[in-house]
Amino acid sequence: MSDAMLSKVRKLLAKAEDPACTPAEAEAFTAKATELIARYGVDRALLAARDPGTDPVGDRTVDIPAPYALDKAGLLAGIAHALRCRSVRRRGGSGFVMHLFGFASDLERVEVLFTSLLVQAAHGISVAPVPPGDHPAAFRRSWLAGFASAVAGRLSRAEAAAAASAESGSAESGAPSVALVLADRSDRVDRRLAEAYPRLRTAAPRRLLGGGLEQGASAGRRADLGGTELRSGRPTRPLGQSVGGASTEVRG
């Protein structure tokens, strides 16, 4: 990401992270930042299609410490998947290590968004009221699951909107199909992951019994990453049912 673009995105996200920022203001700042990030991702993909050396496939690891390490890992996995990266979750110390695979520009986008959304989630969960009778830890785990689900859905839609807009422009100019370019990138990332981890198993779904899923999802909707047209999203699973992440983990 160019220094100017990165600076602009970080300034927008920093405003959204401010505890004094109202939900509406945070939504506006985050939506604008993510719009820029989504457009940047498509632009870099099209540039790399012409000059592969500008955006190589790579990987990086991210340490996810306790507390709520599994929930933070789920947030990172959802962001990575939405931005056309792949993730492997491994045990590490008291928490987890997330091994991310993707093109350099996409990995950078994941890191910028995860850093900001982790701060926004921490602010949100610190002020979320725990319902009477709910265990605080169970409530917070379900809150984070709802937040991650809402965020991942909106990121996916923002990415799709950016790709559709670019596809329209490429059709008029005779440029390569954006859909084919992005599909090829995803295939290359999958091959890179398979080379590093030839034997993987999908992470088992979780059963979350806390009552924070809807509150967390509401917080994720307030950080609406795809624009105002996406506000109608809701958690895809009711309370008490399994909630799975987008990550995989090494077969033991």
Side-chain angles (χ1 to χ4, degrees):
M1 192 175 296
S2 69
D3 289 342
M5 174 71 79
L6 185 58
S7 177
K8 186 172 184 179
V9 167
R10 282 183 168 158
K11 285 178 180 177
L12 288 166
L13 292 175
K15 291 178 180 179
E17 294 162 16
D18 189 339
C21 189
T22 68
E25 290 169 338
E27 175 183 340
F29 291 137
T30 308
K32 181 59 178 177
T34 308
E35 178 187 348
L36 293 174
I37 286 176
R39 290 208 312 261
Y40 172 81
V42 173
D43 289 345
R44 285 299 303 269
L46 294 176
L47 175 62
R50 298 190 297 271
D51 185 1
T54 63
D55 197 17
V57 178
D59 67 294
R60 65 183 63 178
T61 58
V62 180
D63 292 326
I64 309 291
Y68 304 110
L70 186 57
D71 310 287
K72 296 172 188 173
L75 174 61
L76 177 55
I79 295 169
H81 188 78
L83 301 191
R84 296 184 293 278
C85 295
R86 299 293 180 265
S87 62
V88 173
R89 191 182 73 217
R90 308 188 311 235
R91 287 284 182 183
S94 62
F96 295 96
V97 174
M98 294 291 284
H99 197 170
L100 305 178
F101 295 83
F103 284 81
S105 62
D106 293 331
L107 290 171
E108 185 178 29
R109 295 191 303 144
V110 170
E111 183 177 9
V112 169
L113 277 173
F114 177 62
T115 300
S116 176
L117 288 167
L118 203 55
V119 172
Q120 293 186 53
H123 290 327
I125 206 170
S126 68
V127 299
V130 180
D134 243 14
H135 190 283
F139 171 81
R140 289 170 186 142
R141 283 193 293 270
S142 61
W143 190 101
L144 286 166
F147 182 86
S149 177
V151 161
R154 281 148 182 79
L155 278 172
S156 294
R157 296 187 187 196
E159 292 292 304
S165 176
E167 189 75 77
S168 176
S170 67
E172 295 174 359
S173 64
S177 165
V178 174
L180 291 178
V181 168
L182 297 181
D184 178 68
R185 282 167 71 90
S186 293
D187 287 343
R188 291 177 62 187
V189 172
D190 287 340
R191 290 198 298 271
R192 179 64 179 267
L193 183 147
E195 290 170 1
Y197 295 98
R199 292 182 298 175
L200 287 175
R201 63 181 176 85
T202 301
R206 302 173 66 202
R207 292 186 63 84
L208 298 173
L209 302 177
L213 189 65
E214 176 57 33
Q215 282 196 46
S218 294
R221 289 193 292 271
R222 288 195 298 271
D224 194 338
L225 303 178
T228 55
E229 73 278 8
L230 302 179
R231 290 177 187 164
S232 61
R234 291 294 184 270
T236 57
R237 294 182 182 271
L239 296 178
Q241 288 198 4
S242 300
V243 178
S247 64
T248 53
E249 54 186 5
V250 180
R251 183 184 298 275

